[in-house]
Amino acid sequence: EPEVTQTPSHQVTQMGQEVILRCVPISNHLYFYWYRQILGQKVEFLVSFYNNEISEKSEIFDDQFSVERPDGSNFTLKIRSTKLEDSAMYFCASSLRQAYSNTEAFFGQGTRLTVV
Amino acid sequence: GNSVTQMEGPVTLSEEAFLTINCTYTATGYPSLFWYVQYPGEGLQLLLKATKADDKGSNKGFEATYRKETTSFHLEKGSVQVSDSAVYFCALRGAQKLVFGQGTRLTINP
C-alpha cells in the first residue's frame, strides 16, 4: 500500500540553526501539507501546497518557514532559524484531490524535532 | 472559521466496555468528517471517515455517524480492547486543510 514517508524520524538541533524536514508524498497525489503537534497539544495546520505554490498557510507559518518541492517527488519544510518553541512533531500529508470530494489526506509517521 | 470540539480526556475504561468519544463541529459548507488515531510512538492514521450527512464511517469495530442536524460525529465502539489505547482525533476537512480537535487520550485496562 502506498504511503507517505518522512525523514528523519527524529532530529535534534541547536537553537538558531536551520533544519530541513523531508517528505515523500504518495506518487500520484497533487496536494501536500505540513502539520505540527507540540507535545500534548492539538495537531495544527501549517501550510498546504499545490501546483508548486502555497495555496494556504496558517499564522504559525511565518517568514521563518518555507516549503519546496525540489524534484517532483520530495516535499520539504525548512525552518531557517529554529527556536525552542519549534520543538514538535511535524507531520507531512498528501491527498489526491482537493476538499469537497471523496478523498482523504494520508499522513506520514512524523519527524520529531527537538530544539535545544 | 471551521472548528472541532472533542470531549475532554483522558478516558479510562476496562476491557470490553462501551466507548463513546463526543465530537461536535462548526463549519461552513459541507465538510467531510474524520477520526484519526495516534498509537503510542506512532503517527496519525485514518480510522474512519464520512463525507456527507447521515453517512456512517466504520473500521475495526469503531463507528461514527455524520449528524448534520446536531453537527456531531461521535465515535463509538461496543467492546474496547487493550490495543485500542491511543489518542483519538476528530477532524473536519473544508477547503483543503484538516482542522483537528484537541484529541482524547483513551486508556483501556485489562
Side-chain angles (χ1 to χ4, degrees), chain A residues 33 35 37 55 95 99 104-105, chain B residues 36 38 46 89 93-94 96 98:
Chain A
Y33 314 85
Y35 292 79
Q37 183 185 26
S55 46
S95 65
E104 66 186 73
Chain B
Y36 281 84
Q38 185 179 30
L46 179 67
F89 292 92
R93 187 171 178 196
Q96 296 194 48
L98 281 163

Side-chain angles (χ1 to χ4, degrees), chain A residues 1-5 23-32 69 71-74 94-96 106:
Chain A
E1 186 173 324
E3 59 181 14
V4 177
T5 56
C23 169
V24 179
I26 294 173
S27 61
N28 62 336
H29 284 188
L30 301 176
Y31 296 83
F32 314 111
R69 189 157 160 78
D71 55 13
S73 62
N74 291 285
S94 69
S95 65
L96 179 59
F106 290 83

